[in-house]
Amino acid sequence: MRYEIKALSLGGVLDQALAVTKNHFAVLLILTAIFVLPASLPVNLIQAVAQSKIQPATTLPEMMRNQQILQAEMAKYGPWMMILGLAQIILLPLSNGALVNAVANAYLGREVSVGGSIKAALARIFPLLWTWFVLGLVVMLGFLLLIIPGILFAFWYGLATQVAVIEKVSGPAALKRSKAVIKGHIGEYFVLSLVMGVLMIALSMGAAFVPQPHLSALAITLLQVASTILMSSIVVVFYFSCRCANENYDLQLLAQEVSDSANASSDDATDEDR
């Protein structure tokens, strides 16, 4: 299926992201489940079981008592939480890399597969980790400079992951490239971030209505998987929209398609002459 690869409005970005997600949901679901479930589900189970130990509180002493109970329950799983945290450090960038690769290929009309996306993510794991480290350091320093610079840096460099995976640029160069791609569209990115935040909060609140702790943890994890897929699709489509607006990427694609078609016709003609 061909998608609208051009400078899009916010509604257009959401529409195309939903279309990509729907049309390739099986592949995106498998990719996300492979990387998200192993670490996220145990963490959510531990948190759900710990929270089930506390009672409703209406006064400050009751709230403080519940906090102490929660801390004591979580302390029982300290070593496991440390192991799971380390696992997430590896699995999270792999998940992001695989999803960005899959969504980008799907949006551009290329072949999408679970194996190919995982292979691409593994090939970019160290550049992606390096990019995340630099991004986190820059944003943290920005927040230390009276908060406002940190917020600005977070938006300037918000497409660094997409750049690192799709354009194969990493570290400070990926941050610089992200700023160039998103130039003139920070306001749109801010609105998209608000929309994505509201969606994530709404999904999390839905899982809170499940009373049984283990089922609640499972529901939270599944909603995390679904939201991860959708958020990745939204940001990838927005990335290409910015490139089309600032760099005429859609015209570059069209020129490439025309060139490929002309070359194919030339090859066919040559074969016929022979």
Side-chain angles (χ1 to χ4, degrees):
M1 177 179 177
R2 293 183 65 88
Y3 300 97
E4 295 181 11
I5 303 174
K6 62 180 184 180
L8 299 166
S9 64
L10 291 179
V13 169
L14 294 174
D15 178 70
Q16 293 298 290
L18 286 170
V20 171
T21 301
K22 181 183 70 173
N23 295 333
H24 301 274
F25 186 71
V27 172
L28 299 178
L29 178 62
I30 293 172
L31 282 173
T32 311
I34 288 173
F35 295 113
V36 172
L37 289 180
S40 294
L41 182 56
V43 169
N44 290 332
L45 281 171
I46 290 171
Q47 291 176 342
V49 170
Q51 290 176 348
S52 69
K53 304 294 183 179
I54 64 177
Q55 301 295 323
T58 56
T59 64
L60 181 59
E62 290 175 340
M63 294 179 184
M64 293 178 64
R65 185 189 68 239
N66 280 345
Q67 185 63 31
Q68 292 173 350
I69 293 173
L70 187 60
Q71 290 175 351
E73 288 295 323
M74 291 298 295
K76 296 178 182 178
Y77 304 98
W80 287 108
M81 293 296 287
M82 186 177 299
I83 293 171
L84 292 169
L86 292 173
Q88 287 184 331
I89 292 176
I90 301 299
L91 293 174
L92 186 57
L94 281 173
S95 174
N96 274 267
L99 274 177
V100 169
N101 178 269
V103 172
N105 282 331
Y107 188 56
L108 296 176
R110 299 169 182 167
E111 182 180 354
V112 182
S113 68
V114 173
S117 298
I118 292 176
K119 183 178 179 180
L122 288 171
R124 298 298 298 164
I125 181 63
F126 292 113
L128 191 52
L129 284 172
W130 170 233
T131 301
W132 282 16
F133 173 78
V134 175
L135 175 60
L137 182 62
V138 169
V139 172
M140 182 183 69
L141 290 175
F143 275 106
L144 292 176
L145 298 174
L146 302 178
I147 300 178
I148 298 299
I151 297 174
L152 184 59
F153 291 162
F155 284 108
W156 274 354
Y157 309 135
L159 300 179
T161 295
Q162 287 67 38
V163 169
V165 175
I166 298 170
E167 301 186 36
K168 296 180 172 53
V169 178
S170 61
L175 271 61
K176 182 179 180 180
R177 175 64 180 147
S178 172
K179 183 180 177 182
V181 170
I182 207 170
K183 183 179 179 180
H185 302 277
I186 290 181
E188 297 171 31
Y189 190 53
F190 174 74
V191 175
L192 276 179
S193 298
L194 287 179
V195 172
M196 291 187 289
V198 169
L199 284 173
M200 292 182 70
I201 292 173
L203 291 173
S204 299
M205 290 178 62
F209 288 100
V210 181
Q212 210 282 334
H214 298 86
L215 291 178
S216 176
L218 179 59
I220 290 172
T221 305
L222 293 177
L223 290 173
Q224 286 176 343
V225 168
S227 62
T228 298
I229 293 171
L230 182 56
M231 302 310 148
S232 183
S233 297
I234 290 173
V235 180
V236 169
V237 172
F238 178 69
Y239 158 84
F240 282 114
S241 175
C242 290
R243 288 193 64 181
C244 290
N246 293 336
E247 304 170 353
N248 294 321
Y249 182 70
D250 48 339
L251 297 181
Q252 296 174 36
L253 279 179
L254 179 60
Q256 182 63 46
E257 290 175 359
V258 171
S259 176
D260 291 344
S261 178
N263 290 335
S265 298
S266 177
D267 291 340
D268 292 342
T270 302
D271 291 340
E272 289 177 1
D273 292 340
R274 291 176 183 172

